Amino acid sequence: MKPSRIWAWLALAVGALYFALPLIGTIEFSLRMRRGVYSFDAYRAVLSDPQFRATFSFSVFMALMTIVLGVLVIAPTAYWVRLKLPRWRPIVEFITLLPLVVPPIVLVFGYIRLYNTSSWLPLTGTAGGTNLLLLAGYTVLALPYMYRAVDTGLRTIDVATLTEAAQSLGAGWITIMARIILPNIMVAILSGAFLTFAIVIGEFVLAALLNRPAFGPYLQVLGANRAYEPAALAVITFAITWACMGLIQLVTRLQKHTQVPR
Amino acid sequence: MKPSRIWAWLALAVGALYFALPLIGTIEFSLRMRRGVYSFDAYRAVLSDPQFRATFSFSVFMALMTIVLGVLVIAPTAYWVRLKLPRWRPIVEFITLLPLVVPPIVLVFGYIRLYNTSSWLPLTGTAGGTNLLLLAGYTVLALPYMYRAVDTGLRTIDVATLTEAAQSLGAGWITIMARIILPNIMVAILSGAFLTFAIVIGEFVLAALLNRPAFGPYLQVLGANRAYEPAALAVITFAITWACMGLIQLVTRLQKHTQVPR
Amino acid sequence: MAFLDITRLEKFYGTTHVVKDFNLAVEKGEFISFLGPSGCGKTTTLRMVAGFETPSSGSIRIDGRDVVNLRPNQRNIGMVFQAYALFPNLTVAQNIGFGLKVAGRPRAEIDERVREMLGIIHLPELGGRFPFQLSGGQQQRVALARALAIRPKLLLLDEPLSALDAKIRVSLRQEIRAIQKKLGITTIYVTHDQEEALSMSDRIVVMNAGVAEQVGDPFTIYNRPATRFVAGFVGTLNALDAIVTDPATGSITLDGQPIRLNRPIDAAAGASIGLALRPETLALGPRPETDGSLRGTVRDVQFLGSVLRVRVALDGQVVALDSFNTAALRPPAVGDAVEVSFATADVLVSDG
Amino acid sequence: MAFLDITRLEKFYGTTHVVKDFNLAVEKGEFISFLGPSGCGKTTTLRMVAGFETPSSGSIRIDGRDVVNLRPNQRNIGMVFQAYALFPNLTVAQNIGFGLKVAGRPRAEIDERVREMLGIIHLPELGGRFPFQLSGGQQQRVALARALAIRPKLLLLDEPLSALDAKIRVSLRQEIRAIQKKLGITTIYVTHDQEEALSMSDRIVVMNAGVAEQVGDPFTIYNRPATRFVAGFVGTLNALDAIVTDPATGSITLDGQPIRLNRPIDAAAGASIGLALRPETLALGPRPETDGSLRGTVRDVQFLGSVLRVRVALDGQVVALDSFNTAALRPPAVGDAVEVSFATADVLVSDG
């Protein structure tokens, strides 16, 4: 074996140590609720908990809303920046990275200050209003991933020339967006949506501070008070993640025009 | 004004609403500690707190260690995958995205299970060992950003041809890595390092569960118990972020061979 | 009034003057090429006609109507791009029918037109394929069909063959020209390849640094270049210095050897003038139909396939001459003393 | 024994046989071109010599030593890539000196060699520049200097001019050849451009589908192609069908018109044979030195600049003929009845 090969395997071994071992440990632990034998008792306990169902479906709903809002805001923006404001790209990219480096807590403080019950727009006064704030916060959190995904998708097609070709054939902006741009970056949008979903499902700080019944706080509370159930929950979350991944693969395969790498 | 322009401005306005307003709100609030007038009292209070200094310098140290470990592990791996295992790239990319979708809590549970005081490698028994675990966890958290940054950097150069050119001139792997690859992706590595720095400084879950005196838990505790100081802290964190950004810009400018876009 | 009328067109990018006082009148059905090096303004001019760039001043009239203030999707202009620009998510048939569908035409009409267009580009069976399943040449033919399907007033082609292989380039340029003639569509073709421009066009606009240096048919452009730039850019050229001995009879000496052009020269005796001779107008050895000759030694011989390029050193200056390669004749050896003959009518004279 | 000796070289990618039984002996100082279409195995063969690919079987000997098991950085081979591959973070001088620095040579020797190399590529004043500050042509010259600075045993060039503009390509190929001759370095040059291969090489290896179809000097390759592929790939060709009337005297009829080749044909009377004629060996009108002729009508005329390509329709088949353009003569009109003359010695005969 060449020394170069050894490096590659070493890197892979390090990767496995980091990821596989903790995961296997967690799975093994989640099966040991019943003393002495492996069982699914912890999973049964988690899945039958009505609070689990309530918080999980709340978070799923919020995640889907975040994805819709994110796509509607980000896809046209990223397209426009690529097409007409290429010199602004570094600035826009920097802005979209801000949520990664500004702690979410700053965001929440700001929101609470701006929209508290005594402000001009008392959103925190009602559950619906607070949900709206939460949605806005989630969209900001998802921004870096969504923007990067969409921008990567746009990079694989020749945005400027396709737009000009469609224009010369008489198409307006809405037609171009709906018939040419969106279909061609659908896979990229899905991968961004998938990341968004995962992030919103696991998010803790925003939901806790705005006091909404989301999955993240439920996970933390469970983690602090129980032994085996959190492990089971972690495994479930992980399984959902993989299911989403598989779904994206499936969609990619079904898209005829991307069957073969171009 | 064309309708297309309006879209662009609308998108920018939405961006400003999301980011600028909460930030301005936070800054304004942080200056209002003294009743009736604006003052820097909150900042003075924060900066003079010995706990702030201790936790902040601990987190800075951990961040720097994470960056060093990350670069040493990720740069050769990404280079090798690009050069010799291009078919593995989607798999490796997927692995590096895992930390985004596996909640950190799973990681910590796994670590604690594997390395507790009764295990074959009782890392959690000593402060140094726990710090090592924390470092490993941070490296995993930083993986997606670091890998993407390095990979983006590698994309801007023709890795395969540059490697072959250096080989034909008699260079071995270490020479190629140190003299050709690393200097050319330095800016990309720095931008990855900057994100890593920001993430480690703000991280809460890992540090709290492993019970290390880091900046993240300090921020949360302060946020729960004080009014004006958290806002000041958030502003300080934000300023540090911008300072890092400026530093990167400076380094980019100073690199002679990238003065003009290629 | 011409079908396409461009008058006093100017374009600035910031302070850079990329198109300068461009005027052109194109008749209906004409095939016009914009020829020039990269950065000469040819693509910018084309994009102003298409509506993707806004002129700084000047007017563009198509069929009598000023289109400067119309948006690209209102101009009814077919456009073919260097990068094909087929929509990757649509089939070939959907690509070709896209413009008609946007215009809201009935389905039957679209299907009929798509079938007709697929016939014209000789790909009748490929309607169901996706662009990535086609070769580059096929993709560009589909792009052409898509541009023509909307029955545009004007067809614009922006270096459509640059991304293709040499052999496909040659066959596709014949096909494009044949389709253009068949449909009688007014066409502007942008290229940096002189052979493309010369072989396809009714007229060529040679551009340099934003200026149209010469407008004329291919034969005129090649044989009677109006400016030094056109002479150098289109074809190969020997540029030689000579000294006038008798302006009235056109007698000159080139590196000491006398030549008589048999036409008056606009320069004083003893003045230095510049001569330009194309390598293919020169021949090795004396020929009955030529009236000029020079003696020299062979500097080097390049075998280019069908053409043999021999460079002959005179007393200081070097002339290159092209001759067709024949299997029977081995090329001359380096160092041979040779005679180079030419028709004095082919000698272009410019001021030194 | 030759300086570079490649014997029975084979390369498989999985089950794809990309190089088949490749044999070549190159003498010291020779300039060899690998010519062929993309995917013919020419680059793979070159990369096996450089060490970037491992042969499935066969041997590569340089100066008597088998290098197959040596890593690329142990082979002492200079390589120039299509994409220049200059190190962006190093100056021109540092790039050229890189190989010597890696070899641990003293600083004074490196500086001296760099200066010498900069002189050879005629860029003595650009040592302090970074690659991005150079034009494509300059970058490629620096890449050449970098490859030569280590005094390699062998210089390999992989389509070095493909990324450059036409005019720079022509001047740079002359420069590369001049430097190669001056240093006397054994060189392998990979290209898909027949004109490059014909004008630069001592010998050409024409490759197709992994097989070396013909090895020979440019003149032989062009005028006496060994296979149908070589004949078609190198240069343009009229492929015509004819019927043998008298094999002994070489009498045939082409679309009803009799031709007498004056040499025996290896076919029975009444059999169909294939003829191949290069367009430049045909001429319009009768000429004293030709002994064959055909009558037909002008189908179309293409003006290619220095060359005028006329396609003449016989009774069903079409022949293309090239002639040099002269300003005095206007091209023939489409539909004119013309006579096409040629030397029967230039007619290549293949079995139908």
Side-chain angles (χ1 to χ4, degrees):
Chain A
M1 206 194 289
K2 286 190 196 169
S4 48
R5 290 245 150 221
I6 295 174
W7 262 93
W9 287 109
L10 201 79
L12 274 173
V14 169
L17 228 87
Y18 265 2
F19 293 105
L21 281 189
L23 193 68
I24 291 168
T26 309
I27 292 175
E28 195 263 346
F29 186 69
S30 73
L31 296 172
R32 275 165 54 174
M33 196 176 187
R34 196 178 294 172
R35 209 162 275 270
V37 291
Y38 286 137
S39 74
F40 286 101
D41 283 8
Y43 293 88
R44 224 167 285 137
V46 166
L47 291 174
S48 61
D49 183 351
Q51 247 208 301
F52 165 77
R53 287 187 225 153
T55 57
F56 191 73
S57 46
F58 176 80
S59 280
V60 167
F61 175 74
M62 288 308 286
L64 295 180
M65 291 303 291
T66 307
I67 289 166
V68 170
L69 186 63
V71 170
L72 285 183
V73 170
I74 291 162
T77 309
Y79 167 68
W80 201 255
V81 169
R82 260 198 179 264
L83 192 66
K84 297 271 168 172
L85 312 166
R87 258 176 296 171
W88 288 31
R89 264 191 71 210
I91 299 168
V92 173
E93 236 165 53
F94 174 69
I95 290 176
T96 61
L97 282 180
L98 277 184
L100 289 180
V101 292
V102 180
I105 205 168
V106 176
L107 206 68
V108 185
F109 277 130
Y111 281 156
I112 293 177
R113 291 271 323 140
L114 279 171
Y115 305 113
N116 63 20
T117 41
S118 60
S119 76
W120 55 279
L121 190 64
L123 284 175
T124 55
T126 62
T130 317
N131 283 351
L132 220 63
L133 270 189
L134 191 60
L135 180 61
Y138 282 165
T139 311
V140 173
L141 284 189
L143 187 64
Y145 309 102
M146 208 66 191
Y147 183 86
R148 292 233 146 183
V150 170
D151 200 52
T152 306
L154 287 173
R155 194 190 293 134
T156 63
I157 58 174
D158 186 346
V159 172
T161 316
L162 288 184
T163 301
E164 289 181 354
Q167 279 182 305
S168 76
L169 293 168
W173 291 115
I174 293 169
T175 311
I176 294 173
M177 200 68 208
R179 298 260 279 276
I180 305 299
I181 303 300
L182 281 183
N184 279 307
I185 60 169
M186 199 34 91
V187 173
I189 287 180
L190 275 176
S191 87
F194 155 71
L195 282 178
T196 304
F197 187 85
I199 286 159
V200 171
I201 290 290
E203 206 283 328
F204 166 71
V205 177
L206 277 186
L209 285 178
L210 287 173
N211 199 24
R212 300 309 305 150
F215 188 60
Y218 171 72
L219 199 73
Q220 282 330 77
V221 168
L222 207 71
N225 302 320
R226 305 287 187 87
Y228 300 97
E229 283 90 340
L233 259 181
V235 173
I236 291 172
T237 315
F238 191 74
I240 291 169
T241 301
W242 274 90
C244 287
M245 205 68 192
L247 223 78
I248 286 177
Q249 286 292 324
L250 201 73
V251 172
T252 314
R253 293 273 160 81
L254 289 180
Q255 283 219 327
K256 278 189 198 150
H257 66 274
T258 49
Q259 274 169 341
V260 172
R262 265 162 287 152
Chain B
M1 208 194 290
K2 286 190 192 170
S4 47
R5 289 247 150 218
I6 296 173
W7 264 92
W9 288 109
L10 201 79
L12 274 174
V14 169
L17 227 86
Y18 265 0
F19 293 106
L21 282 190
L23 192 68
I24 291 167
T26 309
I27 292 176
E28 194 263 346
F29 186 68
S30 73
L31 295 172
R32 274 165 54 175
M33 197 177 187
R34 198 178 294 175
R35 210 165 274 271
V37 292
Y38 287 137
S39 72
F40 287 102
D41 282 10
Y43 292 88
R44 226 166 283 138
V46 165
L47 292 173
S48 62
D49 184 353
Q51 246 207 302
F52 164 76
R53 287 189 224 153
T55 57
F56 191 72
S57 46
F58 177 81
S59 281
V60 167
F61 176 74
M62 290 307 287
L64 295 179
M65 291 303 292
T66 308
I67 289 166
V68 170
L69 185 64
V71 170
L72 286 182
V73 171
I74 291 161
T77 310
Y79 167 67
W80 202 256
V81 169
R82 261 201 179 259
L83 192 66
K84 296 272 170 170
L85 311 165
R87 258 177 295 172
W88 287 31
R89 262 193 70 209
I91 300 168
V92 173
E93 236 164 53
F94 174 68
I95 291 176
T96 60
L97 282 179
L98 277 183
L100 288 180
V101 292
V102 180
I105 204 168
V106 176
L107 204 71
V108 183
F109 277 131
Y111 281 157
I112 294 176
R113 290 274 320 141
L114 280 171
Y115 305 112
N116 64 18
T117 41
S118 61
S119 76
W120 54 281
L121 189 63
L123 282 177
T124 53
T126 61
T130 318
N131 283 349
L132 221 63
L133 270 188
L134 190 62
L135 180 61
Y138 282 166
T139 311
V140 172
L141 285 188
L143 188 63
Y145 311 102
M146 208 66 192
Y147 182 86
R148 292 234 145 181
V150 169
D151 202 52
T152 305
L154 288 173
R155 195 190 294 135
T156 62
I157 57 174
D158 186 346
V159 172
T161 316
L162 287 184
T163 301
E164 290 182 353
Q167 281 183 305
S168 76
L169 293 168
W173 291 116
I174 293 170
T175 309
I176 293 172
M177 200 71 206
R179 299 259 279 276
I180 305 299
I181 303 301
L182 282 183
N184 278 306
I185 59 170
M186 199 36 86
V187 174
I189 288 180
L190 276 178
S191 86
F194 155 71
L195 281 179
T196 304
F197 187 85
I199 287 159
V200 171
I201 290 289
E203 205 283 330
F204 166 71
V205 177
L206 277 186
L209 286 177
L210 286 173
N211 198 24
R212 299 308 304 148
F215 188 61
Y218 170 72
L219 199 72
Q220 285 327 81
V221 169
L222 207 72
N225 301 320
R226 305 288 184 87
Y228 300 97
E229 283 90 340
L233 259 181
V235 173
I236 290 171
T237 316
F238 192 75
I240 292 168
T241 302
W242 274 89
C244 288
M245 205 68 193
L247 224 77
I248 287 177
Q249 285 294 326
L250 201 72
V251 172
T252 315
R253 293 274 160 80
L254 288 179
Q255 282 219 326
K256 277 189 199 153
H257 66 274
T258 50
Q259 274 169 339
V260 173
R262 264 163 291 155
Chain C
M1 189 167 177
F3 184 70
L4 167 67
D5 221 341
I6 304 176
T7 40
R8 307 192 67 86
L9 197 67
E10 303 266 354
K11 178 71 183 175
F12 289 86
Y13 285 128
T15 58
T16 319
H17 203 169
V18 288
V19 175
K20 296 172 192 162
D21 192 20
F22 188 94
N23 294 280
L24 184 70
V26 180
E27 295 305 322
K28 204 171 164 75
E30 246 190 320
F31 191 111
I32 301 280
S33 288
F34 291 176
L35 174 66
S38 53
C40 73
K42 56 189 193 301
T43 295
T44 307
T45 308
L46 189 84
R47 290 171 60 80
M48 286 192 281
V49 175
F52 301 132
E53 305 276 353
T54 312
S56 303
S57 69
S59 81
I60 301 169
R61 295 178 160 274
I62 300 174
D63 212 359
R65 183 183 181 200
D66 194 334
V67 298
V68 165
N69 290 315
L70 291 183
R71 271 183 280 137
N73 57 356
Q74 301 169 323
R75 293 195 184 191
N76 194 22
I77 284 177
M79 179 102 188
V80 176
F81 301 84
Q82 181 181 338
Y84 319 144
L86 295 182
F87 306 129
N89 57 316
L90 303 180
T91 63
V92 166
Q94 287 168 335
N95 262 285
I96 296 175
F98 184 84
L100 298 168
K101 202 169 175 195
V102 166
R105 300 295 177 79
R107 202 187 156 78
E109 184 191 334
I110 297 178
D111 288 351
E112 175 54 32
R113 187 81 59 85
V114 167
R115 203 168 15 251
E116 178 196 333
M117 284 298 150
L118 283 170
I120 285 179
I121 59 167
H122 305 301
L123 297 173
E125 71 289 4
L126 296 189
R129 297 266 187 95
F130 281 97
F132 75 90
Q133 296 168 311
L134 305 182
S135 71
Q138 289 172 330
Q139 287 193 50
Q140 197 57 295
R141 280 194 277 172
V142 173
L144 180 66
R146 183 180 64 178
L148 291 171
I150 56 168
R151 301 253 158 100
K153 286 183 178 164
L154 210 58
L155 177 64
L156 307 181
L157 302 106
D158 187 7
E159 309 233 6
L161 305 180
S162 299
L164 300 169
D165 286 343
K167 298 239 160 181
I168 295 161
R169 214 149 59 203
V170 171
S171 75
L172 205 47
R173 78 184 181 211
Q174 291 171 5
E175 201 171 323
I176 290 175
R177 178 59 162 153
I179 292 171
Q180 185 268 336
K181 272 188 174 162
K182 186 176 168 186
L183 302 181
I185 185 165
T186 315
T187 302
I188 298 179
Y189 188 100
V190 163
T191 182
H192 65 269
D193 181 332
Q194 44 143 326
E195 201 177 292
E196 267 177 29
L198 291 170
S199 64
M200 298 176 83
S201 320
D202 291 318
R203 281 192 297 157
I204 298 173
V205 180
V206 183
M207 292 186 72
N208 181 34
V211 174
E213 297 235 341
Q214 188 174 7
V215 182
D217 68 278
F219 198 78
T220 308
I221 294 281
Y222 189 84
N223 289 313
R224 286 190 286 282
T227 67
R228 208 169 255 262
F229 172 80
V230 175
F233 187 77
V234 182
T236 317
L237 208 66
N238 288 301
L240 301 166
D241 289 323
I243 296 188
V244 180
T245 49
D246 181 1
T249 60
S251 293
I252 55 176
T253 60
L254 203 167
D255 274 12
Q257 303 188 40
I259 300 170
R260 192 173 160 146
L261 298 179
N262 294 320
R263 59 179 193 266
I265 298 172
D266 186 19
S272 174
I273 55 165
L275 302 183
L277 262 169
R278 300 225 178 253
E280 72 270 15
T281 59
L282 295 161
L284 270 190
R287 283 183 307 176
E289 70 272 26
T290 57
D291 55 354
S293 76
L294 290 165
R295 297 195 160 273
T297 53
V298 174
R299 164 75 65 89
D300 60 30
V301 177
Q302 279 179 31
F303 182 58
L304 308 177
S306 65
V307 166
L308 207 63
R309 175 161 296 170
V310 180
R311 297 205 306 150
V312 175
L314 310 175
D315 190 22
Q317 304 194 64
V318 175
V319 288
L321 60 94
D322 285 355
S323 60
F324 281 130
N325 155 54
T326 51
L329 230 76
R330 276 266 162 183
V334 173
D336 283 2
V338 291
E339 185 181 344
V340 177
S341 60
F342 55 91
T344 51
D346 290 334
V347 179
L348 305 169
V349 177
S350 61
D351 47 320
Chain D
M1 188 166 181
F3 185 71
L4 166 67
D5 221 342
I6 304 177
T7 41
R8 308 190 67 84
L9 198 67
E10 304 265 354
K11 178 70 184 178
F12 290 85
Y13 286 128
T15 58
T16 319
H17 203 168
V18 287
V19 175
K20 296 172 191 164
D21 193 20
F22 187 94
N23 294 280
L24 183 69
V26 181
E27 295 304 322
K28 202 170 165 74
E30 247 191 318
F31 191 112
I32 302 279
S33 288
F34 291 177
L35 175 66
S38 54
C40 73
K42 56 188 193 301
T43 295
T44 308
T45 308
L46 189 83
R47 290 172 60 80
M48 286 192 282
V49 176
F52 301 132
E53 305 276 352
T54 312
S56 302
S57 70
S59 80
I60 300 169
R61 294 178 161 274
I62 300 175
D63 211 359
R65 183 184 182 196
D66 193 333
V67 297
V68 165
N69 290 315
L70 291 184
R71 272 184 279 139
N73 56 358
Q74 301 169 322
R75 292 192 185 193
N76 194 20
I77 284 176
M79 180 103 186
V80 177
F81 301 85
Q82 182 181 336
Y84 320 142
L86 294 182
F87 306 128
N89 56 317
L90 302 181
T91 62
V92 165
Q94 287 168 335
N95 262 286
I96 297 175
F98 184 84
L100 298 168
K101 200 168 177 194
V102 166
R105 299 295 176 79
R107 203 188 155 76
E109 184 191 335
I110 298 177
D111 288 350
E112 175 53 33
R113 188 80 58 82
V114 167
R115 200 165 21 245
E116 178 195 336
M117 285 298 150
L118 283 170
I120 284 179
I121 59 169
H122 304 302
L123 298 174
E125 72 290 1
L126 297 189
R129 297 265 187 97
F130 281 98
F132 76 88
Q133 296 169 311
L134 305 182
S135 72
Q138 289 173 328
Q139 286 192 51
Q140 198 56 296
R141 281 193 277 171
V142 173
L144 181 66
R146 183 180 64 177
L148 292 171
I150 56 167
R151 301 252 157 100
K153 286 182 177 165
L154 212 57
L155 177 64
L156 307 181
L157 301 105
D158 187 5
E159 308 232 8
L161 305 180
S162 299
L164 299 170
D165 286 344
K167 299 240 159 180
I168 294 162
R169 214 149 60 205
V170 171
S171 76
L172 205 47
R173 78 184 179 212
Q174 290 172 3
E175 201 172 325
I176 289 175
R177 179 58 160 152
I179 292 171
Q180 184 269 335
K181 272 190 173 160
K182 186 177 168 187
L183 302 181
I185 186 164
T186 316
T187 302
I188 299 179
Y189 187 101
V190 163
T191 182
H192 65 269
D193 180 333
Q194 43 142 329
E195 201 178 292
E196 266 177 29
L198 291 170
S199 64
M200 296 175 85
S201 319
D202 291 317
R203 282 193 297 157
I204 297 174
V205 180
V206 184
M207 292 187 71
N208 181 33
V211 174
E213 296 234 341
Q214 188 174 5
V215 182
D217 68 277
F219 198 79
T220 308
I221 295 280
Y222 190 84
N223 290 313
R224 287 190 287 280
T227 68
R228 209 170 253 262
F229 171 80
V230 175
F233 186 77
V234 183
T236 318
L237 208 67
N238 288 302
L240 301 165
D241 289 324
I243 296 186
V244 180
T245 49
D246 181 0
T249 61
S251 294
I252 56 177
T253 61
L254 203 167
D255 275 11
Q257 303 187 42
I259 299 170
R260 191 172 162 148
L261 297 180
N262 293 320
R263 58 179 194 265
I265 297 173
D266 186 19
S272 174
I273 56 165
L275 302 183
L277 261 169
R278 300 223 179 254
E280 72 269 15
T281 61
L282 295 159
L284 268 191
R287 281 181 309 174
E289 69 273 24
T290 57
D291 55 353
S293 75
L294 291 164
R295 296 194 161 274
T297 53
V298 174
R299 166 72 66 87
D300 60 31
V301 177
Q302 279 178 29
F303 182 59
L304 307 177
S306 66
V307 166
L308 206 65
R309 175 161 296 172
V310 180
R311 297 206 307 150
V312 175
L314 310 175
D315 190 19
Q317 304 193 65
V318 173
V319 287
L321 60 93
D322 286 354
S323 59
F324 280 129
N325 155 53
T326 50
L329 230 76
R330 276 264 161 185
V334 173
D336 284 1
V338 290
E339 185 180 343
V340 177
S341 60
F342 55 91
T344 53
D346 289 334
V347 178
L348 303 169
V349 177
S350 61
D351 48 319

